[in-house]
Amino acid sequence: MSKAMEEHVSFRADHGRGSVVRHDVRAGFGMLTPAGIVILAVTIFPILYSVWMSFNNIQLTENGFQFTFNGVQNYADVYSAPLFWHSVWFTVYYSIVTVAIELFLGLLIALAIQNVEKLKSVSIVVMLIPWSLITVISAEMWSYIYNGVYGVLNAILQGMGFIHNPINWTGEPFTAVIALMAADIWKTTPFVVIILLSGLQMIPKDYYEAARIDGANGWQTFWNVTFPQLRGSIAIAGLFRILQAFGIFDLPFVLTQGGPGSTTTSLAMLGEETLFTNLHFGLGAAVAVSTVILILGACLIFLSAFRGMVGEEAQ
């Protein structure tokens, strides 16, 4: 075959492959289009619309909603309200404390389950029971436990002699926050355990064999083998829990109703009350947008702290 003919055949082959690739790309975009439309409809559009609402004074009239552009006035009103900054402070320290405790407990439980040879499946199933409960049901259950009159917690503590008089756990500011955190930690720690347990399963057994040959004890094996390989899973679990913790609504809404007073009022609860209860749509949208910005900032800080860890593990 001559050189010119070979070049012609090669050109036709490349052209044919290019046509196939373009056809596959068009087909791929065609299959992704419905999902993209749904994402735009249920995610992107509401976000953009909320941002637009936050720059308007919205009045509910007999003819519908009346929008009057007022710039950043809603944000000025929100940021000048002490309740907003109290909600920010509560949401931030609530998220930090609960996520930190959940990561610590989740790691301990995951390591315990990983090292249990018998009844491992049963242990996982039992551990998942709190996470599988709907949050509203879990909150109602904890409200019975914390009840100051017939609550189980007071009965146990009084029976053991730790307290003499019943405690109204959700009626005092300090105990209400502690009670809310305990209920949240009980429910969501299993989520962290599942992620960390999957990360432990992916660690090659050869690493532990090499550590044992080198004479490493249990702590040295954990610190030099297990933890470095598990940092990516810890980062993923922490990121998801930060997203959930900063948007907490249903648990305090049912368990404490944001009280006593406004002690346990989160940003999500403040936005709901402003928007749907008081019908201040522009102010409620400003609270919602501010909450999203705060969550994004918290996630960026968390990812920056773990970027080196995840990068080392990926290598």
Side-chain angles (χ1 to χ4, degrees):
M1 182 181 294
S2 65
K3 183 177 180 180
M5 186 176 295
E6 291 178 355
E7 292 177 352
H8 177 69
V9 172
S10 176
F11 171 77
R12 294 191 62 180
D14 293 340
H15 180 72
R17 285 194 294 270
S19 300
V20 172
V21 171
R22 287 193 294 271
H23 178 269
D24 291 342
V25 170
R26 288 194 296 268
F29 277 113
M31 289 185 288
L32 288 175
T33 298
I37 293 174
V38 172
I39 292 175
L40 288 174
V42 303
T43 303
I44 306 300
F45 174 74
I47 292 176
L48 296 178
Y49 192 69
S50 297
V51 174
W52 168 246
M53 288 176 59
S54 68
F55 292 108
N56 286 267
N57 180 26
I58 305 173
Q59 298 293 331
L60 183 60
T61 65
E62 59 183 8
N63 297 324
F65 292 99
Q66 180 180 354
F67 285 69
T68 304
F69 183 78
N70 63 352
V72 296
Q73 184 60 45
N74 289 329
Y75 290 95
D77 293 339
V78 167
Y79 295 159
S80 62
L83 181 57
F84 172 78
W85 292 110
H86 169 78
S87 299
V88 170
W89 168 242
F90 168 74
T91 303
V92 169
Y93 80 74
Y94 176 89
S95 301
I96 292 174
V97 173
T98 55
V99 172
I101 295 177
E102 288 161 7
L103 289 176
F104 177 74
L105 292 179
L107 179 59
L108 293 181
I109 297 174
L111 290 171
I113 294 178
Q114 175 72 3
N115 293 325
V116 172
E117 296 298 333
K118 297 181 179 180
L119 302 178
K120 178 180 291 187
S121 300
V122 176
S123 301
I124 295 175
V125 171
V126 171
M127 180 205 61
L128 285 176
I129 292 176
W131 187 42
S132 63
L133 290 177
I134 299 173
T135 306
V136 173
I137 296 177
S138 176
E140 288 287 353
M141 180 191 70
W142 280 97
S143 68
Y144 285 111
I145 294 175
Y146 290 137
N147 190 277
V149 178
Y150 50 81
V152 177
L153 181 58
N154 279 331
I156 294 175
L157 294 178
Q158 284 181 305
M160 298 178 66
F162 289 110
I163 61 175
H164 299 288
N165 298 316
I167 298 175
N168 185 6
W169 294 96
T170 59
E172 298 293 333
F174 178 76
T175 56
V177 174
I178 299 300
L180 192 63
M181 288 182 176
D184 193 5
I185 292 169
W186 176 84
K187 175 174 174 52
T188 54
T189 297
F191 171 80
V192 178
V193 173
I194 291 299
I195 295 179
L196 298 187
L197 191 59
S198 63
L200 288 172
Q201 299 287 343
M202 297 173 62
I203 301 177
K205 302 300 181 183
D206 296 342
Y207 291 3
Y208 294 106
E209 183 67 23
R212 186 167 59 252
I213 293 174
D214 291 339
N217 57 31
W219 171 252
Q220 291 172 333
T221 301
F222 167 77
W223 188 251
N224 295 297
V225 177
T226 304
F227 184 71
Q229 297 296 317
L230 204 60
R231 287 180 295 196
S233 298
I234 295 175
I236 293 173
L239 180 61
F240 275 100
R241 281 300 302 131
I242 287 175
L243 290 171
Q244 294 172 341
F246 270 86
I248 186 173
F249 172 79
D250 40 7
L251 185 62
F253 183 81
V254 176
L255 186 57
T256 63
Q257 294 81 47
S262 58
T263 302
T264 58
T265 300
S266 64
L267 280 171
M269 291 187 65
L270 178 63
E272 186 274 338
E273 181 180 356
T274 305
L275 188 60
F276 296 106
T277 303
N278 300 330
L279 299 181
H280 295 156
F281 302 102
L283 294 176
V287 173
V289 173
S290 301
T291 303
V292 172
I293 294 174
L294 180 64
I295 293 174
L296 290 176
C299 291
L300 289 175
I301 293 173
F302 184 82
L303 288 177
S304 297
F306 276 86
R307 183 183 304 169
M309 294 183 178
V310 177
E312 291 175 4
E313 182 177 2
Q315 294 174 1

